Amino acid sequence: MANTYTPIIELTNVTYSDHEVPILKNITGSFPEGKITTLVGPSGAGKTTLFRLCNGLISPDKGDIVIKGKSIEDYEPTTLRRKIGLALQNATMISGSVYKNLSLPRTLQGELLDEETARELLLDVGLDSDFLHRNVKDLSGGQRQKVSIARTLVNQPKVLLLDEITSSLDRVSQQDIEELIVAVNKKYGTTIIWITHNLEQALSIGQYTWVMMAGELIESGESSLLKNPTDERVKVFVRGDME
Amino acid sequence: MTYLTLSLALIFVLIPIVLSKTLNLGLEKDTLIATVRSIIQLLAVGYVLQFVFDSEQPIYIILMIALMITAATQNARKKGASIKGITWKLVVTYLFVEILTQGILLGFQITPATPQYIIPISGMMIGNSMVLSILFLNRFTAEVESHQDETELILSLGGTPKQAIHKQLINSIQASTIPTIESQKTIGLVQLPGMMSGQIIAGADPVQAVQFQLLILFLLLTAAVVTSVMMGYLSYPALFNARMQMLKMRQKD
């Protein structure tokens, strides 16, 4: 991707292995500040691992990650993770109520989340405010996913890393979330990086796209590249042959 | 009791062996090993204790306690092999429990400062701490393993390792200390403690035996809770690195 934008996250030769199995190989690229970038590629491409690296849950074996001009290693880990919000596909909940889950980011800082703000967050993600005191074990997969997104927003992150957050949602809920994310991006200038298997979604929502395969960054640029990819592997992937 | 009478007690070893053989339980070998080991170990300890009591040298008391701590550590460390530095964490815990309990007993002159009191009580405290640390480590490693997603969630939201592991830590401390607390609730109703029974059989005044047993029970309570809490707070930092990342964290994608 030619740098015609201000990068918020820059990766240089980032390599990561798990038990000597290479997961990410020499990744060099950047994500534009304040934009929505989608991350596409087949399973096993290393997309989620890339998110964990950016959130500081793991560190690269080699290479550098720079966030807002400062090496990731120079950030205090808790500060970094509040700035770089992460919502994973499995939407893990802590046992208890929806409110307890929404309050979690604040509780971790020794603060309280007032109920009014919690209700607004629920409405933002398309859930009725009477969900607030429901037990999370009574929620459907899609409802859990929505609570997970709302919870990530509590920290008001500068960057939102979203890992297939709409894959378990029905079409209407999917649209709600897409609208919410676009609104968050517009209203707060939050940078969005979104892993999706839905290429239609990548084209309609994302301004930029990364295509990853087998731990490598194959192509990156404006989302329109998905219509006219140059790399043969990407052409095959876009046609859906690799899924 | 004569050795002849004691040998008749082997009938109680024969019963499980015969049952195991008849029902194909496969316990014969372990029962025999356990019997031989207990005879050798207890007789050896008997002679060693006699020597220590006769010599009245504090160095032998210290050596006995050091031996107990070494043996307890050796036994328990296998259960916490996945925790870095588990050996010294166990040694520190056992040593602390020993110093705390003996410090109170001797400091307040609750028991006399003689090897006849110090060594058996130390054995009970360190032995109990060993069992508690094994219970704790078993539970803690299982809790950490089964709640990795929650730990990762809290870290990803900007929580500290202590916050991320807090629930697992509390669950493990509770689970390991509950058996001690529960057994104390029914003591005297369901079973008479071995030490008290031994004293009564040896001809001691039952009320005095009960008083001494109560002292031991309260000591065991302290040993149980202190062991679990110390093991917990010494162990959890080893699961994280300086970047607050969980070590051996499962990878996805």
Side-chain angles (χ1 to χ4, degrees):
Chain A
M1 226 188 292
N3 271 12
T4 54
Y5 53 76
T6 311
I8 191 161
I9 300 179
E10 296 167 90
L11 297 101
T12 313
N13 300 322
V14 169
T15 299
Y16 181 82
S17 303
D18 184 25
H19 294 99
E20 294 180 17
V21 177
I23 310 287
L24 292 175
K25 303 165 197 165
N26 231 19
I27 301 277
T28 297
S30 60
F31 294 103
E33 184 170 17
K35 306 286 182 197
I36 300 178
T37 304
T38 55
L39 207 52
V40 299
S43 297
K47 304 184 294 290
T48 305
T49 302
L50 186 79
F51 273 12
R52 284 165 202 267
L53 283 166
C54 293
N55 181 261
L57 285 174
I58 49 176
S59 294
D61 302 333
K62 281 186 214 157
D64 298 318
I65 301 174
V66 172
I67 294 172
K68 282 212 105 169
K70 188 168 140 183
S71 169
I72 199 166
E73 298 293 316
D74 294 335
Y75 281 92
E76 203 274 321
T78 56
T79 311
L80 170 81
R81 290 168 190 162
R82 283 171 199 150
K83 277 181 194 283
I84 313 289
L86 175 64
L88 292 173
Q89 190 181 11
N90 57 4
T92 304
M93 297 280 125
I94 54 162
S95 57
S97 67
V98 168
Y99 178 61
K100 191 178 170 191
N101 272 275
L102 289 180
S103 308
L104 183 62
R106 289 280 169 85
T107 315
L108 294 172
Q109 296 177 64
E111 294 168 9
L112 281 174
L113 179 74
D114 63 90
E115 285 204 16
E116 199 42 49
T117 311
R119 282 179 209 281
E120 280 170 25
L121 278 164
L122 283 182
L123 289 173
D124 281 347
V125 292
L127 287 175
D128 286 340
S129 57
D130 60 3
F131 269 86
L132 198 62
H133 294 293
R134 283 206 199 166
N135 194 305
V136 287
K137 68 181 180 201
D138 299 325
L139 302 182
S140 68
Q143 289 163 343
R144 287 165 78 99
Q145 193 57 266
K146 288 177 175 180
V147 173
S148 163
I149 297 163
R151 186 178 56 196
T152 310
L153 291 173
V154 172
N155 274 337
Q156 296 179 314
K158 297 276 174 226
V159 179
L160 251 185
L161 307 172
L162 307 171
D163 186 359
E164 301 210 39
I165 51 162
T166 55
S167 57
S168 59
L169 303 183
D170 57 65
R171 187 60 215 150
V172 176
S173 299
Q174 196 174 314
Q175 228 160 354
D176 283 348
I177 297 298
E178 285 174 2
E179 281 168 17
L180 167 77
I181 298 303
V182 171
V184 167
N185 167 256
K186 286 214 170 98
K187 191 172 172 187
Y188 303 106
T190 311
T191 304
I192 312 286
I193 307 171
W194 191 332
I195 295 177
T196 179
H197 269 109
N198 183 343
L199 296 186
E200 209 178 294
Q201 190 177 52
L203 272 166
S204 63
I205 304 297
Q207 292 141 309
Y208 292 87
T209 289
W210 272 36
V211 185
M212 289 181 69
M213 286 177 189
E216 289 179 64
L217 172 60
I218 307 294
E219 273 196 70
S220 64
E222 290 186 8
S223 292
S224 54
L225 79 83
L226 291 171
K227 287 180 186 163
N228 297 302
T230 50
D231 190 281
E232 277 308 313
R233 291 165 293 177
V234 180
K235 282 181 187 170
V236 174
F237 171 70
V238 168
R239 281 204 303 269
D241 290 356
M242 287 180 75
E243 288 296 329
Chain B
M1 192 185 278
T2 63
Y3 279 107
L4 182 68
T5 330
L6 187 62
S7 62
L8 286 173
L10 287 174
I11 293 169
F12 298 113
V13 177
L14 278 176
I15 293 171
I17 289 175
V18 170
L19 274 175
S20 173
K21 194 93 182 148
T22 316
L23 299 171
N24 284 326
L25 300 176
L27 300 172
E28 304 95 288
K29 194 182 163 195
D30 278 338
T31 311
L32 275 174
I33 291 172
T35 307
V36 173
R37 277 189 64 161
S38 57
I39 292 170
I40 295 170
Q41 285 165 200
L42 283 178
L43 282 176
V45 159
Y47 286 116
V48 170
L49 284 178
Q50 199 157 33
F51 169 75
V52 174
F53 292 169
D54 291 346
S55 73
E56 289 183 348
Q57 291 289 324
I59 185 71
Y60 291 123
I61 301 177
I62 293 167
L63 278 174
M64 281 290 286
I65 292 167
L67 189 71
M68 287 171 189
I69 290 176
T70 308
T73 305
Q74 191 61 28
N75 199 19
R77 64 196 286 260
K78 293 170 221 153
K79 297 290 174 190
S82 58
I83 296 168
K84 201 177 157 195
I86 189 64
T87 305
W88 76 260
K89 292 179 196 338
L90 286 164
V91 170
V92 167
T93 303
Y94 299 152
L95 204 58
F96 183 79
V97 167
E98 170 66 8
I99 291 168
L100 178 74
T101 51
Q102 289 297 338
I104 293 171
L105 288 175
L106 301 178
F108 288 105
Q109 295 179 327
I110 299 169
T111 54
T114 60
Q116 283 86 342
Y117 280 88
I118 295 173
I119 293 173
I121 292 174
S122 298
M124 282 187 270
M125 290 310 111
I126 295 166
N128 191 61
S129 278
M130 179 190 75
V131 173
L132 256 294
S133 54
I134 290 172
L135 283 176
F136 173 82
L137 289 170
N138 266 341
R139 182 63 185 249
F140 188 56
T141 44
E143 284 272 330
V144 168
E145 188 68 28
S146 62
H147 289 92
Q148 265 194 7
D149 284 349
E150 272 176 56
T151 307
E152 190 185 65
L153 166 73
I154 293 172
L155 290 176
S156 76
L157 288 169
T160 61
K162 191 177 172 185
Q163 288 171 323
I165 212 84
H166 184 257
K167 187 181 155 196
Q168 293 89 306
L169 203 56
I170 298 300
N171 284 349
S172 310
I173 291 172
Q174 282 175 342
S176 56
T177 51
I178 280 172
T180 305
I181 297 166
E182 287 302 313
S183 73
Q184 293 201 8
K185 284 184 188 167
T186 56
I187 206 143
L189 297 174
V190 181
Q191 88 276 26
L192 291 177
M195 191 205 70
M196 191 179 99
S197 308
Q199 279 188 304
I200 294 171
I201 291 166
D205 171 19
V207 176
Q208 213 167 28
V210 166
Q211 285 175 341
F212 203 75
Q213 184 62 50
L214 279 174
L215 168 72
I216 298 300
L217 284 182
F218 299 153
L219 279 174
L220 290 178
L221 203 59
T222 287
V225 178
V226 170
T227 300
S228 287
V229 170
M230 274 193 74
M231 282 308 298
Y233 284 89
L234 287 176
S235 299
Y236 89 82
L239 301 175
F240 301 89
N241 64 16
R243 296 289 306 156
M244 296 190 189
Q245 295 163 340
M246 198 172 183
L247 299 171
K248 289 185 180 176
M249 192 171 269
R250 190 178 73 242
Q251 296 306 308
K252 291 169 188 169
D253 195 349

